[in-house]
Amino acid sequence: MKKLLELIEEEAVLAFTGCGYDGAYARVTASNRPDLCEFQCNGALAAAKQYKKAPMAIAGEIAAKLKESPIFSLAEAVKPGFLNMKIQESFLADYLCQMLEADGYGNEKTAHPKTIMIDYGGPNIAKPLHVGHLRSAVIGESIKRMGRFAGHEMIGDVHMGDWGLQMGLIITELAQRKPKLPYFDEAFEGEYPKEAPFTISELEEIYPTASRKSKEDEAYKERAMQATYELQHGRTGYRALLGHILDVSVTDLKKNYENLHVSFELWKGESDAQPYIPDMVQKMKDDGFAYVSDGALVVDVKEETDTKEIPPCMILKSDGASLYNTTDLATIKERMETWNPAEIIYVVDKRQELYFTQVFRCAKKTGLVSDDTKLTFLGFGTMNGRDGRPFKTRDGGVMRLSALLSDINEEMYRKISDNQTMNEQEARETAKIVALSAVKYGDLSNQASKDYMFDTERFTSFEGNTGPYLLYTIVRIKSILKKYSQSGRQADGKPVLAAASESEKALMLEAARFNGMIAAAFDELAPHKVCAYLYDLANALNHFYHETKILAQEDEQRQAGYIRLLDLCRGIMEACIDVLGFSAPERM
């Protein structure tokens, strides 16, 4: 189904060419003066130079031609040569009727679907998720859903940190506490236990304890580094322990991500890339890309057009150990060999931009990816507290993500309970749904690359540009639709009628903008554009609701038209919030 703007522009092209002008000048945009018109074209101003004619004369000719079209109720030339247009109400109503009947409300799937991998989440094994993990998870999940809505095959990978020094620290601390476990006996040849020798709570206590000891005791740190080395070089007992650590951690991580409505197709970590490293490194050497510098193996990635220094990409340290660079490059190799994606998107802290510039250039230069494979860095800003500093607990520590969600849930429960319209169980369940919208919309409504302030009071408000406001609007529509249905009336199959008021037409124009909006937002990797559209639509809906008698409307045909329009808006809003990763309750 064509976008409304495409249909308008087609008419403008016909008008320009019909008057003897190049159709390239017929570009139409939404008006920047909605008080004067709905759409505008400035092509006459640009055409004036080529055709040596006054802009107003050209605009006048085009306006006269556009008036012949059934699409426009207004087409006029305005000094110094603008073309102002308004859409015919009956044409707009017919367009919305087509949207109601079309799949995805007129949002067509891409004609060229791609396999796109998205790397988001990035938790470290054996450590609880904290607020610093929120943005990657929320933005990444939304980008994945947007791509899927547009028709692409999206593969999300959590890409866990499970191969570095933290593993050696856990092993060292566990060996000190439980030295008789078979994992620490190099002579052991039996079968290792199937059950982990620790719970998730114990594991989350072991790591910070070990980390603290390593900073205070150099010998302890040396043992941890040695354990890391032995793990990475295949010691069987340590590999078995890694399996337990992964099982226990991933089970807990899945539960926490599920609370955020975030999911992954792949639960891979740095350890999964290890089998690909030896061949990758050898090929970089054989092809002449990798060379030794100060004992380390590096690949030059600087380019002549660089305006700042881009250091070489280090592949192996002087002791032969791998780094994050090595693991990320090997992961790219694995992804290309296994899934061959057209694009890999990394949703990470924007402060890592230089690092990913090095990795991407190295991957391209050494042939890990082809020239037409796209590697995309989507860097996000910091989530700050109301003091403008990175979000912390009251005592200054890093807040667990579960604690943040719990606090928001309680705040929403308090607000919903104050209305005294629900029993406790329903209020709790509703609060959880609305709280998630507060958290996710509060994040996603900001441009990803910008820092933002996490303001619990503002985000949980039922007024303003917030998740709860959007859900309240959806619930209001559902209530009207339910009351209409309970009255025994039926609107299915009835048409949306031509708008009878300015607020009704404004709502219809907003609904018509949905067509293609998510695909366009995905092209820019911009969930905040979906949020902006949702907010505009919700405002138009509430303005229409307050000005219009819907259930009290005596004209049954017009009332049915209202119901069809509201049903379309409900479907559009629910499609948008699903793409953003949250849902709406039945009532609030």
Side-chain angles (χ1 to χ4, degrees):
M1 184 175 174
K2 286 186 178 179
K3 302 178 186 70
L4 180 62
L5 197 60
E6 287 177 343
L7 295 173
I8 295 169
E9 197 160 276
E10 285 177 2
E11 290 294 303
V13 168
L14 289 174
F16 269 82
T17 55
C19 294
Y21 303 110
D22 190 336
Y25 291 113
R27 183 172 176 271
V28 177
T29 61
S31 173
N32 56 19
R33 285 290 306 275
D35 55 319
L36 299 177
C37 61
E38 294 156 358
F39 297 92
Q40 68 184 62
C41 174
N42 303 339
L45 295 166
K49 186 175 182 181
Q50 178 181 340
Y51 293 97
K52 296 180 173 56
K53 209 169 184 179
M56 273 300 289
I58 296 174
E61 292 178 56
I62 304 301
K65 200 76 172 172
L66 289 174
K67 287 175 183 176
E68 300 172 8
S69 168
I71 290 182
F72 304 104
S73 62
L74 169 76
E76 62 178 1
V78 180
K79 290 182 178 180
F82 300 124
L83 275 165
N84 289 354
M85 293 164 275
K86 288 187 177 181
I87 300 300
Q88 188 68 252
E89 284 79 1
S90 57
F91 176 84
L92 182 58
D94 288 343
Y95 186 81
L96 295 190
C97 287
Q98 292 176 51
M99 286 181 68
L100 273 163
E101 299 302 320
D103 291 339
Y105 303 109
N107 255 294
E108 291 185 356
K109 302 291 186 185
T110 178
H112 305 287
K114 300 173 183 175
T115 297
I116 300 173
M117 298 196 76
I118 178 162
D119 187 316
Y120 65 109
N124 283 319
I125 288 301
K127 295 172 70 176
L129 293 176
H130 57 76
V131 293
H133 292 107
L134 179 69
R135 299 215 71 189
S136 180
V138 167
I139 296 168
E141 181 71 14
S142 180
I143 296 291
K144 185 180 75 175
R145 291 179 181 222
M146 289 164 64
R148 195 166 284 158
F149 190 91
H152 299 291
E153 181 187 359
M154 305 296 293
I155 303 171
D157 185 0
V158 68
H159 196 68
M160 299 172 289
D162 65 353
W163 199 242
L165 179 60
Q166 78 264 31
M167 296 297 107
L169 287 166
I170 292 167
I171 291 169
T172 301
E173 181 63 21
L174 197 61
Q176 190 166 302
R177 296 183 183 193
K178 302 180 180 181
K180 293 184 179 180
L181 288 174
Y183 310 98
F184 308 115
D185 181 0
E186 290 192 72
F188 182 76
E189 295 182 352
E191 228 179 85
Y192 293 107
K194 287 185 168 53
E195 292 296 318
F198 42 70
T199 64
I200 185 63
S201 299
E202 290 169 334
L203 193 57
E204 288 178 354
E205 182 272 326
I206 286 171
Y207 174 72
T209 299
S211 181
R212 186 179 64 254
K213 285 183 178 179
S214 71
K215 292 170 185 173
E216 299 167 352
D217 184 341
E218 191 62 35
Y220 185 95
K221 184 178 181 180
E222 286 293 329
R223 293 202 303 274
M225 292 175 68
Q226 179 61 28
T228 304
Y229 178 87
E230 290 179 22
L231 168 70
Q232 294 181 354
H233 285 77
R235 181 165 167 176
T236 55
Y238 290 0
R239 287 292 179 94
L241 264 181
L242 176 63
H244 288 315
I245 295 169
L246 285 169
D247 287 344
V248 171
S249 291
V250 168
T251 299
D252 187 64
L253 284 170
K254 284 183 176 179
K255 182 179 67 178
N256 280 283
Y257 279 122
E258 281 170 9
N259 288 335
L260 270 177
H261 286 200
V262 170
S263 63
F264 301 92
E265 285 62 49
L266 301 174
W267 285 83
K268 287 184 169 287
E270 293 173 275
S271 60
D272 290 292
Q274 301 311 305
Y276 295 85
I277 291 177
D279 288 347
M280 178 188 77
V281 171
Q282 189 59 50
K283 189 171 188 304
M284 288 180 179
K285 291 178 179 177
D286 293 344
D287 292 347
F289 294 118
Y291 66 94
V292 176
S293 174
D294 294 330
L297 191 70
V298 303
V299 172
D300 281 330
V301 292
K302 62 183 179 183
E303 296 176 357
E304 290 183 7
T305 54
D306 289 337
T307 55
K308 60 182 180 180
E309 185 181 355
I310 307 294
C313 183
M314 192 182 296
I315 307 302
L316 294 175
K317 293 197 289 187
S318 57
D319 62 359
S322 58
L323 308 97
Y324 285 125
N325 309 48
T326 327
T327 304
D328 276 321
L329 288 165
T331 299
I332 290 173
K333 180 176 172 63
E334 179 192 13
R335 288 170 176 167
M336 296 310 299
E337 290 183 7
T338 308
W339 294 279
N340 192 30
E343 181 176 7
I344 307 175
I345 302 168
Y346 292 79
V347 184
V348 288
D349 191 311
K350 67 181 180 182
R351 290 170 291 188
Q352 295 189 45
E353 185 172 10
L354 174 59
Y355 167 79
F356 277 98
T357 296
Q358 292 173 295
V359 170
F360 291 174
R361 286 186 181 182
C362 186
K364 288 277 187 182
K365 183 174 183 177
T366 61
L368 290 179
V369 297
S370 60
D371 289 339
D372 56 358
T373 302
K374 194 174 179 184
L375 298 174
T376 302
F377 172 80
L378 178 59
F380 54 79
T382 307
M383 169 184 158
N384 296 322
R386 295 181 71 173
D387 60 359
R389 297 176 180 176
F391 204 88
K392 301 281 188 181
T393 59
R394 286 188 179 88
D395 59 5
V398 178
M399 178 177 277
R400 287 194 177 195
L401 190 50
S402 58
L404 175 68
L405 294 177
S406 178
D407 287 351
I408 300 294
N409 284 344
E410 285 302 315
E411 178 64 16
M412 288 312 315
Y413 172 69
R414 183 187 64 76
K415 290 187 175 184
I416 290 170
S417 296
D418 286 347
N419 292 334
Q420 298 181 340
T421 59
M422 298 180 184
N423 61 41
E424 183 176 355
Q425 182 181 350
E426 186 183 4
R428 288 281 180 195
E429 290 172 356
T430 302
K432 191 174 181 181
I433 295 170
V434 181
L436 187 63
S437 80
V439 172
K440 284 197 162 187
Y441 189 84
D443 189 301
L444 293 169
S445 57
N446 299 278
Q447 189 172 335
S449 62
K450 294 184 177 179
D451 298 347
Y452 80 95
M453 185 183 297
F454 193 96
D455 186 336
T456 299
E457 186 176 333
R458 181 168 69 85
F459 287 0
T460 57
S461 173
F462 286 88
E463 297 177 355
N465 190 8
T466 68
Y469 168 70
L470 298 176
L471 297 196
Y472 186 75
T473 303
I474 294 173
V475 168
R476 170 176 276 168
I477 299 173
K478 286 182 176 181
S479 176
I480 295 170
L481 297 177
K482 185 176 181 180
K483 287 177 181 176
Y484 179 81
S485 176
Q486 288 175 339
S487 71
R489 287 165 286 183
Q490 179 61 256
D492 287 354
K494 302 286 179 64
V496 176
L497 300 182
S501 67
E502 286 187 14
S503 64
E504 186 178 5
K505 189 177 185 185
L507 175 58
M508 294 168 78
L509 284 166
E510 283 298 337
R513 282 207 302 126
F514 177 67
N515 190 334
M517 180 274 299
I518 291 176
F522 175 69
D523 287 342
E524 297 179 43
L525 301 181
H528 70 280
K529 295 201 168 182
V530 180
C531 295
Y533 170 75
L534 257 175
Y535 183 56
D536 288 344
L537 180 59
N539 283 338
L541 265 163
N542 285 306
H543 189 202
F544 169 70
Y545 170 80
H546 287 298
E547 286 199 352
T548 310
K549 292 179 179 178
I550 300 171
L551 294 175
Q553 172 60 242
E554 294 180 358
D555 183 332
E556 290 188 7
Q557 188 177 8
R558 178 150 294 280
Q559 185 183 55
Y562 288 159
I563 294 299
R564 291 285 276 166
L565 174 58
L566 290 181
D567 196 33
L568 173 63
C569 292
R570 174 204 55 77
I572 288 172
M573 291 192 75
E574 289 190 330
C576 287
I577 63 173
D578 182 66
V579 158
L580 296 176
F582 55 93
S583 58
E586 287 306 306
R587 66 191 194 112
M588 288 168 67

